[in-house]
Amino acid sequence: MKRLRHLLHLLMALALCFLLPLRAMALSDGEYCVSVELSGGSGKAYVTSPAPMTVVDGTVYAELTWSSANYDYMIVDGVRYDNLSEEGMYSTFRIPITQWDYPMQVIADTTAMGAPMEIHYQLCFYSDSVGDRSQLPQEAAKRVLIMASVIIVVGGILNAVVKRRRGA
């Protein structure tokens, strides 16, 4: 009986290990951010982390920005995704996240070495890092710029009001 109980606990623990990474898949449609780690290739390339993440009709997409403008497409699960950025900007792709917390195999085509070359990489998206999109550094920078603009405008208005009162 004790052995059976031990086996049951072990099976439950294994089930939890496999089900916990799927919790992020239950997110409501919306915008989030997620930590991502890139490995493979020459080790010189990287992707920005945390990355913006969008959930649409239950499908989770990451917006990956590479450290280079030389990537022209990515392949995820046999599907090609083209670069979304403008010419000369860092390469950006919107790809589905097909698994959590374990390396996801992808291919990225680069033109940095003259002739186009497909390079195999692994992306690991961490389910426990999923958070509000406002946590992205880019979003925080936007809020700082908006607040600074408001302060400048309000300061200018107050300065004009004070000058009028002194002159009147």
Side-chain angles (χ1 to χ4, degrees):
M1 188 67 168
K2 191 174 187 178
R3 186 173 250 185
L4 183 60
R5 193 175 324 145
H6 179 71
L7 183 60
L8 184 60
H9 286 296
L10 182 62
L11 287 173
M12 287 173 50
L14 284 172
L16 281 175
C17 287
F18 287 105
L19 293 176
L20 283 177
L22 299 178
R23 76 173 174 80
M25 299 293 276
L27 292 168
S28 301
D29 285 4
E31 295 183 339
Y32 303 89
C33 66
V34 62
S35 292
V36 58
E37 189 174 292
L38 175 76
S39 58
S42 67
K44 294 179 184 176
Y46 62 89
V47 293
T48 303
S49 181
M53 184 180 91
T54 307
V55 180
V56 179
D57 296 329
T59 302
V60 184
Y61 298 94
E63 186 177 302
L64 294 181
T65 300
W66 287 77
S67 57
S68 166
N70 296 317
Y71 291 94
D72 54 355
Y73 66 85
M74 288 183 70
I75 298 174
V76 179
D77 278 351
V79 178
R80 177 181 163 147
Y81 297 88
D82 291 320
N83 184 4
L84 301 173
S85 64
E86 296 177 21
E87 184 73 29
M89 302 295 288
Y90 290 122
S91 299
T92 301
F93 300 89
R94 184 174 184 245
I95 63 167
I97 297 176
T98 60
Q99 67 183 40
W100 296 96
D101 303 315
Y102 295 97
M104 180 177 114
Q105 302 299 316
V106 299
I107 297 171
D109 185 73
T110 182
T111 58
M113 297 170 234
M117 177 179 277
E118 290 185 347
I119 301 175
H120 293 261
Y121 293 100
Q122 297 81 40
L123 294 167
C124 191
F125 294 95
Y126 296 100
S127 63
D128 63 351
S129 72
V130 173
D132 189 74
R133 191 170 184 136
S134 66
Q135 295 174 341
L136 289 169
Q138 305 90 307
E139 297 298 321
K142 285 180 193 175
R143 288 193 306 276
V144 168
L145 288 175
I146 289 169
M147 187 59 85
S149 299
V150 168
I151 290 170
I152 290 169
V153 169
V154 169
I157 292 170
L158 288 174
N159 188 33
V161 168
V162 168
K163 283 185 178 180
R164 275 195 188 148
R165 287 192 177 174
R166 285 187 182 165

